[in-house]
Amino acid sequence: MKKGLYVVATPIGNLGDISERAKEVLSEAKYVACEDTRVSKKLFSLLGISLDKNFMTYEDHSEEERAQGIIDIITTKDEAVALISDAGSPLISDPGYKLVRKCREQGVAVYTVPGCCAVVSALQLSGLPTNRFMFAGFIPNKDKARLDLFKELASIDTTLVFYETAPRLQKTLTAAAEIFGNREMAVAREITKMYEECVNGTASELADHFEQNPPKGEIVLMVAPPEENENNQVDLEELLREKLRLMPLKTAVKEIVSAYGLNKNEVYRQAVEIKNESEN
């Protein structure tokens, strides 16, 4: 086995999804960098892979610090190190990219051993457009940060993909209803497991569904792209008149541009006209 860093995808639920190549790499590598050694050792046991290895914790809080140590193992001991996450493809909303970047900077070989990825699997289940999509990671826990993220992405012409936890799903769907309105969405959960589910609908419809059927497991939330004429349906003049009664011009413009993804110069021009009209 060549020395270097092996980025290895592991199953996201069904153990049968592990590739033969991934099993071979994990069997032969003497060092394994992982998020949680307990989770990884359990996985190895279930897959019938020997635990006679050096398991090293590699997670967000230690990423920068541990990266050089892993590289030193590869370069000074001529060893292979397997990088895995708790489930799925490493680096996808998991630590790892700094390690890969340092390896490339220092001439250390990096190999990918592809496999399961919850983002791709969820999209395959959803029926939403897949010609273009954007993975936006985990949704913030704080209410304002969640709304700000949705406003920032609302006008982008692509399917949006997020990770979420089951306990926070209802709050997220409430915020999504406010920003995305009746746009089609999908919630995928328990992917590849016995109770795999993907439910489509508007944010409000999904909230009603999961109110009656409390979700468990990891959640992938997807939002369809905006309709071609969605932004054109905004009554900009009415919006501006309402906002300008409540706040300064620049604040009104900023809020509308952020919420609806409209052209800032055009919104500002119309706001000035309305402001001047009211002052004359």
Side-chain angles (χ1 to χ4, degrees), residues 236-247 252:
L236 180 56
E237 181 178 349
E238 182 180 342
L239 272 174
L240 280 169
R241 290 187 184 281
E242 179 182 348
K243 293 285 188 182
L244 289 171
R245 285 195 295 269
L246 303 172
M247 61 190 69

Side-chain angles (χ1 to χ4, degrees), residues 135-154:
F135 174 56
F138 280 96
I139 296 171
N141 185 29
K142 301 293 185 181
D143 292 345
K144 183 180 184 304
R146 185 189 296 113
L147 281 170
D148 287 346
L149 176 64
F150 287 170
K151 288 177 182 178
E152 176 188 346
L153 302 179

